[in-house]
Amino acid sequence: MIKHTRFTRWLALLAVAATVALALPARANTWPLPANGSRLVGENRFHVVKNDGGSLEAIAKEYGVGFLALLQANPGVDPYVPRPGSVLTIPLQTLLPDAPREGIVMNLAELRLYYYAPGKNTVTIYPIGIGQLDGDTLTPTMVTTVSDKRANPTWTPTANIRARYKAQGINLPAVVPAGPENPMGHHAIRLAAYGGVYLIHGTNADFGIGMRVSSGCIRLRDDDISALFAAVTPGTKVNIINTPIKASVEPDGRRLVEVHQPLSKSIEDDPRTLPITLNAGMQTFKASPSTDAGVMDYAIELRSGMPVDVSSHLPVGQQTL
């Protein structure tokens, strides 16, 4: 029980903040970059479910977050019919990935895309859908660039994709024309790596953003792909990583961790309980006297996808990095 005390206090602070933030409207998730030495951006919101509040996916879309991110931030909520009157945490606060703040950065484990607009000192965060678990539909990590972009793209499914659809009783044409039946939506951004087979594109489906649903490409909601398509140019750097746990020592001394469910490697895996391996830097972070290792262990167990303060709050003079 003792090791949960600080984490419980953190949850209580969230509840207090809810009374202030309930009336705040949703907005585009573009945030100013933090001060030097900080990785913390954004602020969580809170949503009161109405009697006709709709599904969790509808609420996720309203606030521009992913479905699984909203589900992880609100464990126990009914994903189909959230209980009217319940207060949902909207996970808009995050730690920037440990990657150069340039162009497009995607973290597969958190199902988010970060866009750093050149010369603007801002970051825009979009939820994404990524490749399914099957071997030939995984979205790989890579460092590459945007090679091309097209409005109203056609879709040329690969032989493997056509075979997979055929096994489900669906005969795909060799080329799917632009239009409402095209699963690529109305905009596509092609990546240079792997011969250009991976794209960032829209979707004609109302469900699946913030989930593993694609054949390997990266999906965005319609409004999001429209905005990103207009912003990026060929040559824009793209960095795709896979990091389920992030940490930061903030300028004010707070030590924060943000833990996401790791990506499953087989159908038997449960991402809620899959082990998360700490690299050398993360082990050093946890072992520091300035880190409450018990709270950090609980944050890793909970996997809320939101920054958690794991500072030990030792007296001044006893803290070390």
Side-chain angles (χ1 to χ4, degrees):
M1 288 298 292
I2 293 176
K3 74 175 184 177
H4 300 335
T5 300
R6 199 177 319 283
F7 197 84
T8 303
R9 185 160 60 247
W10 172 75
L11 291 176
L13 288 174
L14 278 183
V16 171
T19 62
V20 177
L22 285 175
L24 292 176
R27 64 174 181 173
N29 297 326
T30 297
W31 310 97
L33 290 179
N36 290 338
S38 173
R39 293 173 59 188
L40 185 66
V41 299
E43 56 186 49
N44 290 338
R45 303 289 179 86
F46 298 89
H47 175 89
V48 178
V49 179
K50 302 175 183 177
N51 289 332
D52 56 349
S55 67
L56 206 66
E57 166 59 24
I59 298 170
K61 184 175 182 180
E62 177 184 350
Y63 288 93
V65 299
F67 175 78
L68 285 180
L70 188 55
L71 195 62
Q72 290 166 22
N74 298 277
V77 67
D78 188 324
Y80 301 104
V81 186
R83 181 170 55 84
S86 59
V87 179
L88 301 180
T89 300
I90 308 299
L92 295 175
Q93 188 176 69
T94 186
L95 298 177
L96 294 177
D98 188 12
R101 298 174 186 178
E102 175 187 0
I104 293 171
V105 176
M106 285 178 268
N107 188 357
L108 301 179
E110 60 179 302
L111 295 158
R112 286 189 185 127
L113 181 154
Y114 297 80
Y115 176 59
Y116 300 94
K120 288 193 175 181
N121 202 42
T122 61
V123 60
T124 302
I125 305 172
Y126 301 111
I128 57 175
I130 64 171
Q132 301 171 51
L133 189 58
D134 294 341
D136 64 343
T137 61
L138 293 173
T139 303
T141 59
M142 66 179 91
V143 177
T144 185
T145 60
V146 170
S147 63
D148 186 24
K149 61 178 191 174
R150 294 186 181 181
N152 301 314
T154 58
W155 178 41
T156 304
T158 65
N160 285 341
I161 292 175
R162 294 181 68 190
R164 191 163 59 250
Y165 273 77
K166 188 171 184 178
Q168 300 172 12
I170 302 172
N171 291 312
L172 286 177
V175 178
V176 178
E181 301 303 317
N182 190 324
M184 291 178 63
H186 48 64
H187 292 95
I189 300 169
R190 188 174 299 277
L191 306 184
Y194 297 97
V197 298
Y198 293 100
L199 301 99
I200 305 170
H201 61 77
T203 177
N204 64 345
D206 292 331
F207 192 79
I209 301 303
M211 300 178 68
R212 300 181 71 177
V213 292
S214 79
S215 296
C217 290
I218 297 96
R219 294 184 186 178
L220 277 76
R221 294 190 178 105
D222 278 355
D223 289 347
D224 292 346
I225 189 63
S226 295
L228 187 64
F229 183 91
V232 303
T233 57
T236 297
K237 184 177 178 180
V238 178
N239 188 359
I240 303 180
I241 63 176
N242 180 12
T243 307
I245 181 169
K246 301 180 289 184
S248 176
V249 180
E250 290 294 294
D252 61 6
R254 285 178 301 160
R255 303 175 73 84
L256 307 176
V257 295
E258 177 181 327
V259 188
H260 297 264
Q261 294 179 3
L263 298 182
S264 303
K265 295 182 180 179
S266 73
I267 196 66
E268 291 82 19
D269 289 339
D270 184 348
R272 296 171 298 180
T273 57
L274 270 178
I276 295 178
T277 302
L278 303 184
N279 61 25
M282 202 66 68
Q283 290 176 5
T284 300
F285 178 93
K286 181 180 178 182
S288 167
S290 299
T291 298
D292 188 323
V295 176
M296 185 165 172
D297 282 338
Y298 190 55
I300 292 173
E301 177 186 342
L302 190 62
R303 304 177 185 194
S304 69
M306 297 181 289
V308 178
D309 188 341
V310 297
S311 307
S312 66
H313 298 291
L314 289 174
V316 176
Q318 297 183 28
Q319 296 183 347
T320 64
L321 296 181

